Amino acid sequence: MGYHYSDSNDIDNFKPDTEFVETIVFLNDGLQLPLVKAGCQLGKFIGGGGTGTPAGFQIILDRVGYEPTLGWVRSEDDVVAVNNLTANPTAVQTFQHWHEKEQILTYLDPAALYGCAQANGHKIKVYQNDADDSGTKMDASSAVSLFHNKNCCYIDIRNDFNYSFNYYSQYVNSLELGFEQSGTEDFLVSSVDYYANWPLLRLLEKSVPAGSKSRILMKLPIHDVAGYNARYFLRSYTHKFLEKAEWTFFQELNYLDSAGAVRKDFCEEVFVEAWVSDDDFLGANYFSLKYGKVQVSELNDDIISRRNQYDLVFPLDMKNLIGDDILDDGDFKVSLYSSENAPIVLKNFLDISNEYYTQYIGIARDKYNTTFFSFPDRIGYESGRRLKFPFGIIQQGKYDNSAFLEEFEYTSGTESLGFLEVLPKRTLDSALVLKKVAKDFKGQLEEFLYYLNTAPAQDNKFAIDAKKFHALTLSNEEYDTVMALAASDFDQGYKIFLQPTSGDMPTRNFDGFAIGQSDLKLQGIEFNTTDDKVQSKEVLVEDTVTQEKSELNFYVNKT
């Protein structure tokens, strides 16, 4: 369990509080911690009783910028405390205050976790201590009944960047919630302040009609629909949506009513189902939702907005959690983050499928390069086809690829095998091969990389979908320059994204491929104390020697 890392007298093994937990998990020091897969039993922890020794645990969510350190897990108590706002706070002070409160979204109430299992009919293994310490197995509802928060139901709605849905003040702070009533099919609907205390809605001892299940109606706020300026998507990570069975966990929200008129203020109704405790309250539960907004025109005054699939995908606080040691040819290390941390993508760029999907994001490091990458998690379609579940391409960890070196043609010492080249060898099908092509672009010969499918047409079922696998590769020196620029030009602790400018994006040509070139920029926010507002900030990345703008070459595979 890692106790040997806490003994300050053990010079060989001691790790300070600032060390990331993930770094410890992937150590290669001869005392490697075992990887625990979902469903495995961690151990038995007995508290109270005759010893009076408390035992507890934390559930820490996968969240970019809030990765747990050993200091977190070593502490006996972990209380999130934020100072109250002063009287008549400025807009900047208000934003900073609520930003501090966002850290609460890194944790999950254990009662809500077990209650979520109860709501979805999932089995859990929880044991209650008995006289001989052997433990008696309980079902989820029995486990929930032992918690103080046994009747606390959480509704957690995140934006595209894993903050609460109105973190950037794109909407109003309220939702419309409706609950079932006895003796009628009508819902009792009212406006609820989502931000009454924390950026998380808690329904404590909410009375509902007696029964085992109860439906909840939700209507989320919308913005700019009068000009048809955006499309809105909702992804559930914990509960199925009702009424639209074909979408299950993912759907586009309609801003038109049944008569075709534009709705005002709030989108269409969304229904989910909760479980009811024996006291006729909503039982402990956790509704985890992602609310994504994609712009479809340039008419927008949001602090942060997205107009295509390349915008605001790669935050620079993605951490290289598994060390900075120098790697050999073909080897690479990956830090991977769940799709809660990345925006919902509308495939509206050089694509007519109208697919939309959530995506994993990650950062990989090889001998000479650092690559930001993303690939689909769950895919939906406007056409009404069922939700698609793509393969996971890669998992977090360090990969030794020396066994594959003889399969590549390259000159050792002058060339190296990087993450993008070796990656297909780590998928279910190695039919993809990384290729380089030189094309004349605006009178200058430029080099572009792309994946070529070498399998027969009927075997076109490889794990990497080249049209949905997005990668942005820098040399390790360029990556260090970008990180130094982010540290010097932006306020720390807030999201900073690495992305292309929206200038010369790829256009369809060259035998069905699309190529293009764009400047590289950092985008985030800044605090304008003179005008008292939080505003968008962009900084172009330049070569540290020539002071020329850093350019990205795009090469998009055939449709």
Side-chain angles (χ1 to χ4, degrees):
M1 294 301 295
Y3 293 130
H4 61 295
Y5 295 127
S6 297
D7 184 359
S8 59
N9 295 317
D10 187 347
I11 299 176
D12 293 331
N13 293 309
F14 174 72
K15 301 296 179 184
D17 285 350
T18 54
E19 192 88 17
F20 288 109
V21 173
E22 290 291 309
T23 305
I24 299 299
V25 170
F26 289 101
L27 277 178
N28 293 303
D29 61 357
L31 293 170
Q32 178 73 38
L33 296 179
L35 297 179
V36 181
K37 295 184 178 181
C40 291
Q41 178 176 300
L42 292 175
K44 293 183 179 181
F45 303 88
I46 302 173
T51 65
T53 303
F57 61 94
Q58 285 181 331
I59 303 171
I60 302 175
L61 301 178
D62 173 30
R63 194 172 179 213
V64 174
Y66 294 86
E67 295 83 352
T69 62
L70 288 181
W72 281 23
V73 298
R74 285 170 175 165
S75 60
E76 293 185 9
D77 298 295
D78 199 353
V79 178
V80 176
V82 177
N83 293 329
N84 292 329
L85 277 171
T86 59
N88 302 314
T90 65
V92 169
Q93 290 171 337
T94 301
F95 181 90
Q96 293 170 333
H97 170 78
W98 281 98
H99 173 79
E100 286 189 65
K101 286 191 169 187
E102 292 280 332
Q103 62 186 298
I104 197 69
L105 302 182
T106 311
Y107 301 94
L108 181 61
D109 185 341
L113 175 70
Y114 295 136
C116 194
Q118 171 70 16
N120 288 287
H122 295 158
K123 294 181 179 180
I124 61 171
K125 291 183 178 180
V126 178
Y127 297 86
Q128 184 175 17
N129 188 31
D130 48 28
D132 60 0
D133 290 342
S134 60
T136 301
K137 187 176 180 180
M138 296 184 293
D139 58 24
S141 60
S142 298
V144 169
S145 68
L146 301 176
F147 286 88
H148 175 74
N149 284 343
K150 62 183 179 180
N151 293 319
C152 185
C153 177
Y154 298 87
I155 297 179
D156 181 0
I157 307 173
R158 308 287 179 100
N159 67 7
D160 270 322
F161 317 108
N162 212 9
Y163 290 122
S164 61
F165 79 92
N166 203 30
Y167 175 82
Y168 287 115
S169 300
Q170 295 172 288
Y171 316 101
V172 296
N173 283 342
S174 59
L175 309 175
E176 288 195 354
L177 288 184
F179 300 93
E180 291 187 294
Q181 307 175 77
S182 298
T184 177
E185 291 295 318
D186 295 332
F187 285 76
L188 180 61
V189 180
S190 62
S191 179
V192 178
D193 184 359
Y194 187 91
Y195 290 84
N197 192 0
W198 293 87
L200 176 69
L201 186 59
R202 298 171 72 246
L203 302 174
L204 184 61
E205 296 189 344
K206 176 63 181 178
S207 296
V208 291
S212 60
K213 302 285 186 179
S214 186
R215 292 177 297 163
I216 301 175
L217 176 155
M218 288 189 294
K219 295 171 70 174
L220 279 65
I222 51 182
H223 178 56
D224 277 341
V225 297
Y228 302 96
N229 191 33
R231 290 174 64 178
Y232 299 85
F233 303 92
L234 189 63
R235 163 83 157 96
S236 173
Y237 287 92
T238 52
H239 300 71
K240 289 183 179 180
F241 296 120
L242 305 180
E243 312 300 330
K244 290 187 175 183
E246 72 273 16
W247 293 111
T248 59
F249 293 94
F250 204 176
Q251 68 184 71
E252 181 171 5
L253 300 181
N254 195 350
Y255 53 76
L256 301 178
D257 62 21
S258 57
V262 176
R263 300 174 187 268
K264 294 183 178 179
D265 303 323
F266 293 90
C267 69
E268 66 175 321
E269 298 90 349
V270 175
F271 296 89
V272 291
E273 191 172 65
W275 71 285
V276 180
S277 70
D278 293 338
D279 301 323
D280 297 336
F281 295 124
L282 290 180
N285 215 332
Y286 205 94
F287 291 90
S288 176
L289 305 167
K290 174 182 282 291
Y291 187 35
K293 175 184 178 183
V294 179
Q295 298 300 130
V296 293
S297 81
E298 297 295 321
L299 301 175
N300 179 64
D301 57 359
D302 289 339
I303 298 173
I304 293 288
S305 62
R306 299 181 54 247
R307 296 182 178 86
N308 65 59
Q309 64 226 34
Y310 298 103
D311 282 351
L312 308 177
V313 174
F314 302 125
L316 290 182
D317 49 354
M318 282 198 295
K319 294 181 174 62
N320 178 23
L321 293 175
I322 48 180
D324 292 317
D325 51 304
I326 298 175
L327 298 170
D328 295 327
D329 278 352
D331 294 354
F332 62 83
K333 300 175 296 181
V334 170
S335 290
L336 189 69
Y337 292 89
S338 62
S339 61
E340 288 94 333
N341 294 284
I344 294 174
V345 169
L346 171 63
K347 197 69 174 168
N348 62 344
F349 186 71
L350 297 175
D351 194 285
I352 60 174
S353 66
N354 221 358
E355 293 176 340
Y356 50 89
Y357 56 88
T358 50
Q359 57 185 333
Y360 294 102
I361 55 174
I363 182 170
R365 193 174 182 95
D366 56 47
K367 186 175 183 180
Y368 294 115
N369 298 297
T370 299
T371 299
F372 297 87
F373 65 95
S374 69
F375 57 90
D377 170 25
R378 299 291 185 267
I379 301 175
Y381 304 85
E382 186 182 70
S383 61
R385 287 177 286 169
R386 295 186 64 83
L387 200 65
K388 180 180 177 183
F389 300 84
F391 291 114
I393 293 177
I394 198 74
Q395 297 297 320
Q396 177 137 321
K398 181 178 178 180
Y399 292 82
D400 181 356
N401 293 290
S402 58
F404 299 132
L405 293 185
E406 70 276 7
E407 300 181 27
F408 295 89
E409 294 182 5
Y410 79 108
T411 303
S412 180
T414 61
E415 299 175 328
S416 68
L417 296 175
F419 166 70
L420 292 177
E421 181 136 18
V422 181
L423 179 60
K425 297 293 183 182
R426 286 293 184 178
T427 65
L428 297 178
D429 191 325
S430 58
L432 288 186
V433 177
L434 188 69
K435 292 289 186 178
K436 182 188 294 184
V437 63
K439 294 289 185 181
D440 182 272
F441 187 76
K442 294 186 175 180
Q444 184 171 344
L445 198 64
E446 299 284 355
E447 291 184 332
F448 301 87
L449 294 177
Y450 69 101
Y451 279 126
L452 175 68
N453 176 28
T454 60
Q458 64 270 22
D459 297 329
N460 189 19
K461 296 180 180 179
F462 40 81
I464 301 177
D465 183 341
K467 291 197 297 177
K468 298 185 184 70
F469 179 79
H470 298 148
L472 192 162
T473 299
L474 308 174
S475 69
N476 290 336
E477 292 76 17
E478 289 170 335
Y479 172 76
D480 292 341
T481 297
V482 165
M483 296 303 293
L485 181 62
S488 64
D489 283 37
F490 289 84
D491 289 290
Q492 300 305 293
Y494 302 91
K495 281 283 183 282
I496 308 167
F497 298 92
L498 179 67
Q499 67 183 65
T501 60
S502 57
D504 191 7
M505 300 299 284
T507 55
R508 183 76 63 209
N509 54 26
F510 294 111
D511 191 29
F513 287 83
I515 69 171
Q517 196 173 72
S518 177
D519 295 329
L520 187 64
K521 70 176 181 179
L522 304 184
Q523 180 161 344
I525 61 172
E526 64 180 351
F527 302 116
N528 183 340
T529 55
T530 302
D531 298 328
D532 188 25
K533 64 179 182 179
V534 183
Q535 60 192 30
S536 179
K537 180 179 182 179
E538 297 182 1
V539 176
L540 291 176
V541 180
E542 297 179 341
D543 188 282
T544 55
V545 178
T546 65
Q547 305 304 310
E548 295 179 350
K549 297 176 183 177
S550 297
E551 293 182 334
L552 291 173
N553 286 345
F554 291 88
Y555 198 88
V556 181
N557 281 51
K558 291 182 179 180
T559 57

